[in-house]
Amino acid sequence: MKLYVTPTSPYGRLAIIAMHDKGLSERIKLVWTQTRQLDDPLLSVNPSGRLPFLLLGDGTGMEDTDLIVDYFDALAPPRTYGIPNGEEHWPFRRFEATARSLLDGGSVWAREIKRPSGEQSPGIIDHERRRALRLAGYFETVIGEGVFNGDLNKPQLLLYCALDLERRIPDFGWRAGCPNLLKWFERLGNLPVIRASLPPGSA
Ligand SMILES: N[C@@H](CCC(=O)N[C@@H](CS)C(=O)NCC(=O)O)C(=O)O
């Protein structure tokens, strides 16, 4: 199996963390590539051109981080990335949705500031900056909840990879006003599976 990723994609990083967490790094070859290449041979199997993309041995494959994480989870039982039942169910689901919202919005922001300066939209940048900082402030108030403090799960991975966008977005200065979130982020960042997910050449 091959997992196609870019060094800058937060979604790619999330899939790589899950790969390490499930002990699959010997079975999956990471392929560092680029998106938006007109002659990309991968487009014939992955017509959307989005990464991460998991190419299976039979020539088929799958895009979408959520699906790829579920596939890894099924490959290496016991399942650890499922949605809990009972009282934890709805807190888990709503934190997951809000963390994904931060990741999706942050990715729009990161993409926008990468465009040539004459093509960037100040309106989009300002909208996403406000959303991201508002959401960081929100997570500062709920980071003590059980969902964020047990074994690695999807809400945690989404939140970690969203906050990590600070490496690509100089104005995403969430740390100053969020001491609890910072402590959490640094604790997760020291986990071996998260350290192992950094692209080659990163600190
Ligand atoms: N919902 C997708 C989003 C993936 C995504 O947007 N990937 C970006 C890289 S961060 C991409 O492939 N962009 C290339 C393009 O838009 O053509 C997921 O969770 O995997």
Side-chain angles (χ1 to χ4, degrees):
M1 275 174 293
K2 291 181 180 168
L3 181 63
Y4 289 80
V5 286
T6 68
T8 52
S9 167
Y11 301 98
R13 183 145 195 223
L14 198 159
I16 298 169
I17 297 171
M19 176 191 81
H20 286 297
D21 189 38
K22 297 300 297 191
L24 291 168
S25 54
E26 301 289 311
R27 291 170 69 183
I28 294 166
K29 182 176 160 37
L30 281 185
V31 183
W32 299 99
T33 181
Q34 283 176 11
T35 54
R36 303 181 188 219
Q37 300 176 92
L38 292 179
D39 56 352
D40 187 349
L42 198 63
L43 292 174
S44 60
V45 258
N46 178 25
S48 86
R50 288 188 202 279
L51 302 179
F53 181 76
L54 182 68
L55 185 63
L56 305 181
D58 66 1
T60 64
M62 56 186 85
E63 67 165 310
D64 195 73
T65 314
D66 200 50
L67 176 61
I68 292 171
V69 171
D70 284 347
Y71 190 78
F72 289 166
D73 208 19
L75 272 183
R79 292 218 179 211
T80 53
Y81 283 104
I83 300 172
N85 294 316
E87 274 182 16
E88 294 168 54
H89 182 86
W90 291 111
F92 184 103
R93 297 281 306 274
R94 67 190 169 79
F95 287 133
E96 179 179 7
T98 309
R100 181 171 288 110
S101 185
L102 178 56
L103 180 58
D104 289 346
S107 299
V108 170
W109 185 5
R111 212 167 289 150
E112 195 61 28
I113 61 173
K114 236 172 80 178
R115 281 147 53 90
S117 55
E119 292 178 21
Q120 292 178 16
S121 159
I124 289 178
I125 291 172
D126 189 53
H127 181 66
E128 295 303 345
R129 186 183 59 78
R130 285 172 190 277
R131 188 204 320 269
L133 293 174
R134 209 167 49 235
L135 282 170
Y138 165 73
F139 282 114
E140 168 69 11
T141 68
V142 295
I143 199 65
E145 298 273 341
V147 172
F148 295 110
N149 293 286
D151 293 341
L152 279 185
N153 56 27
K154 285 183 184 171
Q156 291 180 30
L157 294 191
L158 287 161
L159 180 57
Y160 183 85
C161 292
L163 294 171
D164 185 49
L165 278 167
E166 67 178 0
R167 291 189 297 124
R168 287 180 57 193
I169 309 174
D171 287 345
F172 187 21
W174 59 267
R175 291 176 174 239
C178 300
N180 297 316
L181 198 55
L182 179 56
K183 219 178 285 171
W184 178 88
F185 182 76
E186 288 182 336
R187 178 175 66 75
L188 255 68
N190 280 320
L191 296 176
V193 293
I194 293 199
R195 294 180 73 87
S197 69
L198 278 166
S202 309

